[in-house]
Structure formats: structure tokens, C-alpha cells
Amino acid sequence: MRKILEFSKGWKFTKDVTDGAAVGAKWDEVDLPHTWNNVDGQDGGNDYYRGTCMYAKKFARPEITPGQRVIIEFLGAALSAKVSFNNKELTNHEDGFSTFRVDVTDYLEDENVIMVAVDNSATDRIYPQKADFTFYGGIYRDVNMIIVEENHFEIIKDGTTGIKITPVVNLESKSAEIKCEAWTVGGDKVAFTVGDLTAEADVNNGYASCNIHMENIHLWDGINDPYLYDVQAKLIVGSEATDEVSTRIGLRKYEFDTERGFILNGREYPLRGVSRHQDRAGVGNAITQAMHDEDMEIIKEIGANTIRLAHYQHAQYFYDLCDENGMIVWAEIPFITQFMPNGYDNTILQMRELITQCYHHPSIICWGLSNEITASGSITDELYANHKALNDLCHEMDETRVTTMAHAFMLEPEDKLIEMADLGSYNLYYGWYLGELEENDEFFDDYHKNFPNRIIGFSEYGADANPAFQSPNPEKGDYTETYQCVYHEHILKCINERPFLWATHVWNMFDFAADGRDEGGKNGQNQKGLVTMDRKLKKDAFYLYKANWNKTDKFVHLCGSRYKDRVEAETEVKVYSNLDKVTLFLDGNEVATTETDMGTAVFKINISGNHVVEARGNDGNTGYKDIIEIHKVDEANPAYGLLKKEEVVNWFDKDTIDPNYYSINDTLGALKENPQSAAIVNNLMAKLVASRGDVAEATVGNKTLEKMLNKMTLVALFKQAGDAVPGDMIKQLNDTLQKIKK
Ligand code: GCU
């Protein structure tokens, strides 16, 4: 029978690599999982080390009997891994997120050296190459040695488990037809066991298949009842079993409706959840099982029932956790942001491995073909063809699941790309990167009206928040924790009012590393998380979702605990709770009792010194409360925000502008109506697009974006453009416009 041995300990690592060969003598002792970007990939500057590094491990010939095979299994090495064994190159695996295996049997010696040249440098054919997250390099998941008998289940191709179990559920008759297939090297028969039902099939040319009919099935019913059936397959030679593999399946039936959204096991089951990247502060993507467990506990606490595991294949261990906890999963490959003609084969490889390796997870309901692939660069026939091929491949390999895509906001809904997958979803950032919050509502209402036969979802939305930043007047782009709450309150309402959205995923559950970012008072991080990258701090907005999605763990949360120093004499106090009403106390005196609306209660209190604010609630049995301190101060606490932005804005306070003439307070649309001012703003836009590189280039001539930009005033646009438009240039522009009479 097969043996799986731990093989992650006692490796050597060096960056001293030239032309794929380790040259220096300087090798560090490392245990896997490991990445060489855990520090420089999280500190900003977009300068983390991208290149080839070498891992090596020496080991003695394992004790095997004739016919047995020795396989080295890598669970994740990014972005590509060239494996040599005793100086013989055996494989070059170009998928940084999936399992791959190498058979070293024929090259074994008494003393053996395995060398792995791992590379995360830029290429024009391996995805991802352009995206808003750090492409960590390293063997960042565990490695195992697997010893199998001569007759064994297929183990090399696409990192397969060797078996494929396909259940088809009939809800009316509460039964399931379960197709069992196996690929083998040798062997006479395969005995499949699903739950307590067994069936045998003869092996012909390395393939065996049969069906099992199951009555009175126990459904896998999402977070309510994630029931799993154990599956074993034994490979039999004569009367003896020589290999065994096991997995789990869940029996569920789901469908999509243009009005009612997602339907699980015959009932509406709105998918409301979060997205997740696989990294963490200080360790990068070399995260442990305990860290996976903690992430799942946090996601359960917020009350999500779905997770988008972005933008690549995650660890099998985490998909298992999703199965066990009833989370519905969107799984995808990193076909992202910019289409690469030479990347076609790589997308196919990554999708083939994703489906082969994740096929049995009941939590996974769809395969994501790409993310914002039109965001940068032009839309070509090759891009369409690549998507068609991926979509066909998914349906060929998996008759039971659907395909989807996450589209960039500027992709025209009429674009044929949208109908190249079974479902569509949009990533929208109105009210953060651009536009106003209401435009999210308008977008989906227009879309639903114009394309009533399409299933649409909300695959990303979010706002960056540095928990140190607070404001009495929160506004988009200020990176305050306060604004993140305002933002999510709006979007939650937008979603609640649109049950046709098949799934919605907050971008993001956790802050994550994006070394190209230096903004919002932090370096190297995307701060759209509801929880910080070290998992130590749950931002206030976390509790908004918990109040709306988690109906079991009663709680009361006072927002603003990090907004101690307040200049305003009358200040707003916000409470999130999943109780019906909460009472606020100021220095022990009752202020008011308020019903919660969408898990929210808002109070105004007058402050003059140091105060203790308490919120209490009761579910009839138990009392719940939270307490914060507030200090009335004369000077705004400079630590609470981005100073630079305020300066620019203040310069143009309203009363110095003559309203009879054009100014930066006018909208782009209004300025375009006058030929003189139109010439000025068109010239400005061309400069802005040029300063934003190819992402902005992809927006040129884009009707959706133009419609949205025309509603924006130049002031709002400048805030968006940040330092691309220096203060003096704004003054000059305004002076010019103030000479053009309306
Ligand atoms: C995009 C993208 C994400 C990115 C996010 C953001 O939509 O898909 O990968 O992190 O925007 O800008 O925060």
C-alpha cells in the first residue's frame, strides 16, 4: 500500500543562482513551507526580489522493494519550479498554485540530491504577471515523499488523485447517481466505496468505471448542514489490494435564476461573503494549517456563506475546510488584468490542474476563467479565443459545475466576452476609486433591466481603511476606518435590495500584500480588508457584516474605539449589533435606546472632556455590551489621517470662485459642452491617461467610463488622480477656466 512521508524539513536555500545553477557556497538551512519575499514583498516600493532561487535536499535511498515507485509531491511552488534529481532535469512545472509530482525512482542512488530552481521573475507566458498582489517566490506549501506499489492509481498527470467521483442528485426522489472512475498503472479491479455502498469495476487499459445508486441521501446543505460522504477506492491485483486513495464528496444540487439568484437544494440561498488571498503578515504565502484554521474561524464569525478564493488555486487544506464548514466557493485561475498571447497554454494548464485537483470539493460551485482581463491592454480575438477554449475545457472536464468571470467595471455590458461564461460578475469600486456610491445601485439596475436573461453577480467591492485613520467627515479616498463603514453600509443596502445578485464578495476579508502600493499611511499593503493582515484587528466594518450575517453569536460593537480624540463638541457614535435594539450610556447615564436598522444604531452625544461611552443590548436572557473612551480635544489628532490631501482641497474653498464662469467645480460633462473649456479638459484627460499607463489606456473611448466621468467635477477627479495633478497645476487650470464665461 502507498506510504506518504513528510519531506518538508531539512532543505537548503540560496539566492546565489546564475543561469539556473546555484553558484555560491552560501546556503541557508530552511524548513518548508518557505518564501523569500515574506519581508520585501510586504514593505512597499514594488522592489521585492523576483528571480530564480534554488532549494536543495540530500537524502539516502529510501527502503523500497522491487517495482515500488518513489514520488516527490510538491503542494505549491511559485511561480514555476524546475526539478533536477541527481543532476538530471526531470520536470519544469509552470503553475505556481497547484500540486505537482515527480517520479525519481529510476534515478535513485545511495545518496541523492534533489534541486528545485524556483522562479518568480517576469515572463510573457506564465500567469500572473500584472495584478494587485505580491507574486511571492518559493516552495510555499509542504512537500511529501510518496512510495507506491508497482500497481497503483495514476499519480503524476496534472497532480491527479487518480479517481473521479461524480454525483448527480435528484431532490424529488432524494437519491443520487454516483459515477465512479479511476485511472491506474496496472491492477485488475477497483473497489469503490461511497459512504457504506461499494461497487467494483474491472480495469481496462488503466481505466475503470462503474455507477453507485444511493437512496435517502443526506444532502450537503451549505453552512446549515455540510454533510460529507467518505470515499475510498482500492486497487486490487488478484485478491490483494495494492493501493488505496480516499476523498470526500457532498451531495448537493444548485441552480441559478435571473430573479432569485442562487438556489441550493431547491431553495433560495443568496451567496453573501468575502474574498481571500492566501497570505499573512510576516510569513507571506508560506502559511501554516493553523493560520488556515484561524482564517476560517474569522470568516465563520462574520457569518459569510461563501468565499471567493482569489485569484488562483488555494491550498487543498483550505478547500477541505470550506467543505467541512459549508462555505460555497468560487475557485479561479490567475488569468488576470492583462492578456498575454503567449500565455494561452499556461491558462489551459492552470485550469486543467485546478479542476483535476479540486474536483471533489462540494464547496466549489464554479470555475472562474479570468479576473479583469480587459483592465489593461486591448480586447483582441485571441483574448476571446482563449476564454472560449477555457470555457469548453471546463465543461469537458466537469459536467456538474458552471463557469464564471469577474469583469472590470469598464467592460461594456454589451461586450461578447460576458456571454463566454455561464455566469457573469462585476468588480465595481464606485464610491472608492471613482464615482459615487449610488452608481453601484444604478449599474446593477441598468444591467438587470437591459439584460434580464443574464445571471449577474458582484464579485468585488471594497474601500481601503487604515484603522489608525479616523474622521468626523469621512469621504471616499481618505483611507479612514470611518469611511469604510459608510461605504459598506451603502453597499450592504444595495445588495439587500437586489436579490437577483447570485453572489456578492467583499474585497477583501483580510488586508493583503501588494508591494506596489504605498498609500493610506502604509507600505506594500492593500487595506481593503475587514481584518488586518496580521489577523489581530477586526475593523469596525467587520461588525457591520457580523450584525447582518451572523444571527447566532449575539454581540454589541461600539465603532470608533480608535477615534478617541474628537474636536467636534457633538459627535456621532455608531453601534453595530445583531440585537433588535441597543441603549447608549454616557458616563453611566442613559442617553437613548434605539432600534437597530440593518444591524446599525446611530447616536449623537455632546462631549466636553474625557468620557466613557457604553452600549448595551439584551436578547431577553443575556446582556451584551461594549465600552469605548472619547476625549474632547481642541486640535485634530494628526495621526488620524492623510495630511497631504486635506492641504490640496482646502486651497480651493468655494467662495473664491466666480460661478458665472467655468471652474474646477464644474463637471467634466458640463465643461465639454463649451468648445473652449472642452479643449482644455480633453487635453488634461489625455495627460492623466498617459500618467496612468496601460490600465487607463484600456479606458480610452469606453462609454461606460465616459458616462461616469462626465458626472464628476474636476475637484472630485483631482482627488481621484491624487499626486498626478500637482496643486499649482490645479490653480493654473482654474484661473484659465475662470476666464471662460458660461
Ligand atoms: C481589482 C482586482 C483586485 C484588486 C482590487 C483593488 O478589482 O481584481 O485584485 O486588489 O481591484 O484594487 O483593491
Side-chain angles (χ1 to χ4, degrees):
M1 288 299 234
R2 74 172 53 190
K3 284 198 293 285
I4 302 177
L5 310 166
E6 178 285 312
F7 204 69
S8 293
K9 303 244 177 313
W11 286 74
K12 292 193 179 309
F13 169 76
T14 181
K15 270 187 178 172
D16 264 349
V17 175
T18 312
D19 304 336
V23 289
K26 195 179 153 326
W27 290 81
D28 303 332
E29 308 282 333
V30 297
D31 285 342
L32 310 177
H34 174 270
T35 171
W36 62 79
N37 295 124
N38 57 319
V39 176
D40 69 356
Q42 302 190 340
D43 60 2
N46 209 12
D47 53 2
Y48 62 101
Y49 182 72
R50 293 187 65 184
T52 305
C53 296
M54 194 68 84
Y55 292 84
K57 182 178 169 75
K58 285 198 177 111
F59 63 99
R61 178 194 298 273
E63 279 172 33
I64 56 171
T65 56
Q68 285 189 316
R69 311 297 302 178
V70 177
I71 315 288
I72 306 298
E73 172 186 64
F74 295 86
L75 301 184
L79 294 174
S80 68
K82 195 179 283 180
V83 180
S84 313
F85 188 68
N86 294 341
N87 296 320
K88 177 130 183 59
E89 186 182 316
L90 296 184
T91 188
N92 183 17
H93 185 249
E94 299 192 332
D95 178 343
F97 308 95
S98 63
T99 295
F100 69 99
R101 303 190 185 102
V102 190
D103 186 334
V104 297
T105 318
D106 301 338
Y107 311 98
L108 281 170
E109 291 162 14
D110 293 344
E111 279 309 312
N112 302 282
V113 180
I114 184 164
M115 302 277 270
V116 189
V118 180
D119 182 75
N120 66 343
S121 47
T123 75
D124 67 351
R125 67 177 199 292
I126 301 174
Y127 286 98
Q129 287 300 328
K130 190 177 183 76
D132 179 33
F133 60 95
T134 296
F135 309 145
Y136 297 100
I139 304 180
Y140 66 98
R141 295 188 189 138
D142 281 325
V143 178
N144 300 307
M145 173 185 283
I146 303 176
I147 298 176
V148 292
E149 303 303 327
E150 183 169 3
N151 301 292
H152 56 270
F153 287 104
E154 172 56 48
I155 191 166
I156 301 295
K157 189 168 180 326
D158 295 335
T160 182
T161 55
I163 61 173
K164 188 176 182 181
I165 311 297
T166 308
V168 175
V169 167
N170 179 324
L171 289 176
E172 287 70 46
S173 62
K174 280 196 92 282
S175 67
E177 286 312 314
I178 304 169
K179 182 173 183 189
C180 304
E181 298 171 275
W183 289 264
T184 74
V185 177
D188 302 331
K189 274 195 307 228
V190 176
F192 296 97
T193 303
V194 180
D196 52 16
L197 300 175
T198 296
E200 285 194 355
D202 292 337
V203 175
N204 291 312
N205 297 331
Y207 176 72
S209 79
C210 63
N211 287 325
I212 289 178
H213 176 76
M214 188 183 280
E215 294 283 345
N216 297 323
I217 59 173
H218 187 154
L219 290 171
W220 184 91
D221 198 31
I223 55 177
N224 309 307
D225 183 10
Y227 186 81
L228 295 168
Y229 284 89
D230 289 328
V231 173
Q232 287 91 25
K234 281 199 175 81
L235 181 61
I236 298 161
V237 177
S239 60
E240 195 215 330
T242 62
D243 197 8
E244 177 173 342
V245 292
S246 57
T247 185
R248 300 175 304 184
I249 60 168
L251 305 180
R252 76 275 191 268
K253 186 173 175 54
Y254 58 87
E255 46 208 304
F256 301 84
D257 180 90
T258 53
E259 291 306 326
R260 300 185 300 146
F262 183 72
I263 295 159
L264 177 64
N265 298 331
R267 74 184 185 302
E268 284 158 27
Y269 190 87
L271 295 176
R272 303 294 178 252
V274 295
S275 288
R276 174 200 188 238
H277 265 295
Q278 63 175 0
D279 73 343
R280 180 160 304 201
V283 294
N285 59 356
I287 56 178
T288 63
Q289 290 189 352
M291 291 170 182
H292 285 299
D293 294 338
E294 186 182 8
D295 283 5
M296 181 53 79
E297 287 314 307
I298 295 171
I299 293 171
K300 283 165 64 179
E301 181 193 346
I302 207 174
N305 65 10
T306 179
I307 310 174
R308 179 183 171 197
L309 292 175
H311 291 298
Y312 37 76
Q313 184 174 337
H314 283 231
Q316 286 303 319
Y317 183 81
F318 199 80
Y319 292 116
D320 289 340
L321 286 178
C322 293
D323 296 341
E324 290 151 18
N325 291 286
M327 292 291 167
I328 298 264
V329 167
W330 165 319
E332 63 189 82
I333 59 170
F335 189 16
I336 185 164
T337 316
Q338 180 160 39
F339 173 67
M340 302 190 296
N342 295 340
Y344 176 92
D345 292 348
N346 192 251
T347 63
I348 299 295
L349 167 74
Q350 297 210 38
M351 187 58 87
R352 231 188 28 241
E353 294 193 333
L354 176 69
I355 298 177
T356 302
Q357 297 175 18
C358 298
Y359 188 79
H360 294 125
H361 295 293
S363 55
I364 299 177
I365 58 151
C366 60
W367 307 114
L369 305 184
S370 63
N371 179 77
E372 298 195 347
I373 197 64
T374 60
S376 165
S378 46
I379 304 180
T380 61
D381 290 343
E382 282 172 299
L383 183 149
Y384 289 132
N386 201 155
H387 282 84
K388 176 157 185 345
L390 282 169
N391 194 57
D392 294 348
L393 175 70
C394 290
H395 289 302
E396 234 169 73
M397 296 182 71
D398 184 354
E399 293 156 8
T400 68
R401 291 186 179 89
V402 293
T403 57
T404 186
M405 279 189 238
H407 297 298
F409 77 91
M410 68 281 243
L411 181 70
E412 314 269 21
E414 298 75 19
D415 195 289
K416 69 175 183 185
L417 182 66
I418 296 184
E419 300 210 348
M420 295 184 96
D422 304 317
L423 309 175
S425 281
Y426 266 85
N427 299 349
L428 299 180
Y429 286 93
Y430 297 127
W432 178 250
Y433 283 133
L434 67 181
E436 305 310 324
L437 287 166
E438 297 67 29
E439 289 174 55
N440 294 286
D441 311 51
E442 288 158 23
F443 176 89
F444 284 117
D445 291 345
D446 291 350
Y447 191 99
H448 194 47
K449 185 163 60 29
N450 300 336
F451 305 97
N453 304 324
R454 286 191 189 167
I455 311 274
I456 188 68
F458 202 171
S459 39
E460 280 184 32
Y461 63 93
D464 287 77
N466 181 334
F469 290 1
Q470 308 288 337
S471 168
N473 310 308
E475 58 175 10
K476 79 174 178 206
D478 68 4
Y479 292 86
T480 62
E481 186 179 21
T482 331
Y483 181 72
Q484 192 187 44
C485 291
V486 171
Y487 173 93
H488 282 289
E489 284 166 22
H490 180 96
I491 303 287
L492 195 57
K493 189 164 177 297
C494 163
I495 291 170
N496 291 350
E497 293 165 353
R498 291 166 182 79
F500 61 81
L501 294 171
W502 73 272
T504 68
H505 295 95
V506 176
W507 191 263
N508 195 289
M509 183 71 237
F510 306 104
D511 293 347
F512 59 90
D515 198 51
R517 284 174 178 263
D518 294 302
E519 57 191 66
K522 279 193 182 167
N523 296 334
Q525 279 192 37
N526 181 310
Q527 300 184 76
K528 292 191 181 67
L530 298 174
V531 177
T532 50
M533 207 158 87
D534 59 7
R535 274 56 171 175
K536 294 219 169 41
L537 188 155
K538 293 172 179 139
K539 304 176 189 179
D540 286 337
F542 172 95
Y543 296 96
L544 168 69
Y545 285 101
K546 182 175 178 180
N548 282 274
W549 291 347
N550 181 335
K551 295 304 177 191
T552 41
D553 311 333
K554 300 300 179 189
F555 75 99
V556 169
H557 175 79
L558 260 169
C559 298
S561 62
R562 286 168 284 275
Y563 181 33
K564 277 198 171 63
D565 303 335
R566 304 188 186 201
V567 281
E568 67 278 17
E570 183 196 46
T571 190
E572 179 182 275
V573 173
K574 196 181 278 180
V575 180
Y576 293 143
S577 174
N578 49 12
L579 298 168
D580 300 340
K581 60 180 188 297
V582 289
T583 305
L584 196 78
F585 295 81
L586 179 58
D587 304 324
N589 305 313
E590 182 170 337
V591 174
T593 296
T594 300
E595 301 271 324
T596 51
D597 171 21
M598 245 180 61
T600 308
V602 180
F603 302 85
K604 291 268 183 201
I605 57 172
N606 296 313
I607 56 172
S608 54
N610 297 338
H611 300 280
V612 175
V613 179
E614 186 175 339
R616 293 187 201 152
N618 199 305
D619 65 359
N621 310 324
T622 319
Y624 302 86
K625 68 178 183 185
D626 195 11
I627 294 182
I628 63 171
E629 280 177 34
I630 290 179
H631 304 158
K632 173 73 178 73
V633 294
D634 300 330
E635 294 297 315
N637 182 333
Y640 286 176
L642 300 172
L643 283 182
K644 202 161 95 23
K645 219 173 194 76
E646 261 90 71
E647 269 158 33
V648 172
V649 175
N650 293 344
W651 191 86
F652 278 101
D653 55 34
K654 303 277 168 283
D655 54 16
T656 62
I657 286 175
D658 178 343
N660 303 318
Y661 290 77
Y662 285 104
S663 79
I664 56 169
N665 287 337
D666 288 303
T667 65
L668 213 55
L671 289 161
K672 282 181 183 164
E673 275 150 26
N674 170 297
Q676 272 184 293
S677 54
I680 293 168
V681 285
N682 290 341
N683 173 13
L684 170 75
M685 291 310 288
K687 280 209 188 89
L688 275 181
V689 167
S691 73
R692 289 287 182 210
D694 48 25
V695 171
E697 241 155 59
T699 62
V700 174
N702 178 298
K703 281 204 296 319
T704 308
L705 184 66
E706 215 161 307
K707 200 174 79 198
M708 196 244 19
L709 285 176
N710 284 344
K711 284 189 224 158
M712 287 175 77
T713 64
L714 286 191
V715 170
L717 201 69
F718 294 151
K719 272 199 191 138
Q720 212 67 59
D723 11 343
V725 188
D728 52 356
M729 186 175 154
I730 298 174
K731 180 174 177 334
Q732 208 188 341
L733 185 73
N734 190 60
D735 293 352
T736 320
L737 289 171
Q738 283 278 276
K739 296 193 184 66
I740 308 169
K741 194 158 184 25
K742 287 190 179 171

